[in-house]
Amino acid sequence: MKACAKVAGERLPLVRPPPGQPLTRRLSSQNGKRFAVSCSVRLSENKGQRIDAGAENIFPATKDHVVKATDAISRGQVIAVPTDTIYGFACDACSAAAVNRIYEIKGRIQTRPLAICVADVSDISRFALVDHLPHGLLDSLLPGPVTVVLKRGENSILERSLNPGLDSIGVRVPDLDFIRSIARGAGSALALTSANLSGRPSSVSVKDFQDLWPHCSYVFDGGILPSGRAGSTIVDLITPGVYKILRDGSSREETTAVLGKFGFVEGYNAMLTQAEINLDYDPFMEFVVVMQYEKNVCGRGFVLFK
């Protein structure tokens, strides 16, 4: 099998907007203030680095192929896998070279952070702070289509090169044995992002991202995923006793019901709709730095996961 990884640090060409069309858009906040949001997109076009993705590279997402997937992760390679929401690209979250390769495959700017996937709820404390949460809360939310946003903490074993400059991390424990078994076998967290080019629709079948198969060591086919494209509910649990829904996703009602039982109250809702952002969209996570236009200073950062 040919490896799909490129030399770390090599960059793909930057896609430029049409003449006269800036990469900065202005939007209106709920308070009537004007904001500017900037982004850029890189598109993966380096055909020389592609592998020959034929039938030998595509396997059913079954327990018989977990070892194959785990071995690829351990070698620093990128694979495509189903989750309980959509298809994603996965690699070792503690491998800077592998993480860089995911950015290149997607044509994603590296200021947009990645979420992580772990095998079990008990693993979350290795990567993020959970001591402030009531006993049993995370077990009531996960596994399932929920992304919990937590502080990384000084003792997190995550590489600092993953999402540099951020002190929070989005964590998923999907309700799907295949991807959880891969994370368990790798003994680490998986960096996870949607299996699509940045700005393109998310994938609910492997055919949806067929043009990107050659960039992956393996593609694991879980069929057509039934959950649609709503993605996970994103909830910020950084502040004790307070939750913030950052995106409704597919499980908002169930999530808020669980949080209410544990005495949590809803805090300030910092959610922006996709129509308001109208920018490069990654359904697993998108970090948008919103600039307060009048003052030209950084405002709030929004982290979106799926």
Side-chain angles (χ1 to χ4, degrees):
M1 182 194 68
K2 300 178 182 179
C4 75
K6 290 176 59 180
V7 176
E10 185 178 352
R11 292 287 181 267
L12 297 171
L14 184 66
V15 177
R16 300 293 182 185
Q21 178 178 331
L23 281 174
T24 300
R25 299 176 184 266
R26 296 181 183 177
L27 11 143
S28 297
S29 72
Q30 295 177 346
N31 296 325
K33 294 181 179 180
R34 302 177 70 188
F35 299 86
V37 182
S38 298
C39 75
S40 61
V41 180
R42 288 189 179 94
L43 183 63
S44 296
E45 292 291 353
N46 192 336
K47 297 181 180 180
Q49 295 296 332
R50 295 185 176 187
I51 63 175
D52 184 15
E56 69 276 11
N57 299 99
I58 303 174
F59 298 91
T62 62
K63 62 181 181 180
D64 296 335
H65 298 109
V66 168
V67 172
K68 185 183 297 291
T70 301
D71 287 346
I73 294 292
S74 299
R75 293 194 301 270
Q77 297 173 344
V78 175
I79 61 175
V81 293
T83 73
D84 59 348
T85 54
I86 59 176
Y87 278 85
F89 293 132
C91 72
D92 184 354
C94 293
S95 168
V99 169
N100 185 61
R101 179 61 182 145
I102 277 188
Y103 279 101
E104 291 179 337
I105 291 173
K106 285 183 60 67
R108 179 188 178 96
I109 61 173
Q110 297 198 12
T111 55
R112 298 184 186 273
L114 302 178
I116 64 171
C117 163
V118 298
D120 299 289
V121 172
S122 59
D123 295 325
I124 297 177
S125 60
R126 300 170 59 200
F127 306 97
L129 297 179
V130 298
D131 291 344
H132 64 293
L133 299 176
H135 177 72
L137 174 60
L138 291 178
D139 289 294
S140 297
L141 293 171
L142 303 168
V146 178
T147 299
V148 294
V149 181
L150 300 164
K151 280 193 173 292
R152 287 169 65 142
E154 293 298 323
N155 295 324
S156 173
I157 67 173
L158 285 175
E159 289 286 336
R160 288 299 170 184
S161 58
L162 179 70
N163 306 340
L166 292 180
D167 62 357
S168 61
I169 188 72
V171 186
R172 289 218 58 205
V173 184
D175 190 12
L176 191 72
D177 288 341
F178 184 70
I179 189 171
R180 292 175 62 195
S181 296
I182 297 171
R184 190 176 296 116
S188 180
L190 304 179
L192 195 61
T193 185
S194 58
N196 63 329
L197 286 173
S198 286
R200 303 286 178 85
S202 54
S203 301
V204 295
S205 76
V206 295
K207 290 291 187 181
D208 289 343
F209 60 97
Q210 187 170 359
D211 55 333
L212 298 178
W213 291 358
H215 294 289
C216 301
S217 292
Y218 298 114
V219 174
F220 294 96
D221 189 354
I224 298 177
L225 304 182
S227 61
R229 305 178 195 271
S232 65
T233 296
I234 311 162
V235 58
D236 181 332
L237 297 179
I238 291 176
T239 304
V242 177
Y243 71 87
K244 302 173 187 176
I245 298 294
L246 302 184
R247 190 180 61 204
D248 286 344
S250 60
S251 188
R252 178 184 176 120
E253 185 175 344
E254 295 84 351
T255 299
T256 55
V258 169
L259 292 166
K261 290 179 180 179
F262 282 85
F264 275 61
V265 296
E266 186 168 10
Y268 169 70
N269 190 339
M271 181 172 59
L272 288 180
T273 66
Q274 183 56 32
E276 289 174 313
I277 297 173
N278 195 25
L279 289 172
D280 178 27
Y281 174 54
D282 184 308
F284 271 107
M285 178 190 279
E286 180 172 328
F287 181 72
V288 183
V289 178
V290 182
M291 305 290 286
Q292 202 168 7
Y293 181 71
E294 295 91 336
K295 297 181 180 179
N296 196 31
V297 295
C298 280
R300 180 175 298 274
F302 298 89
V303 183
L304 307 182
F305 308 82
K306 194 166 189 172

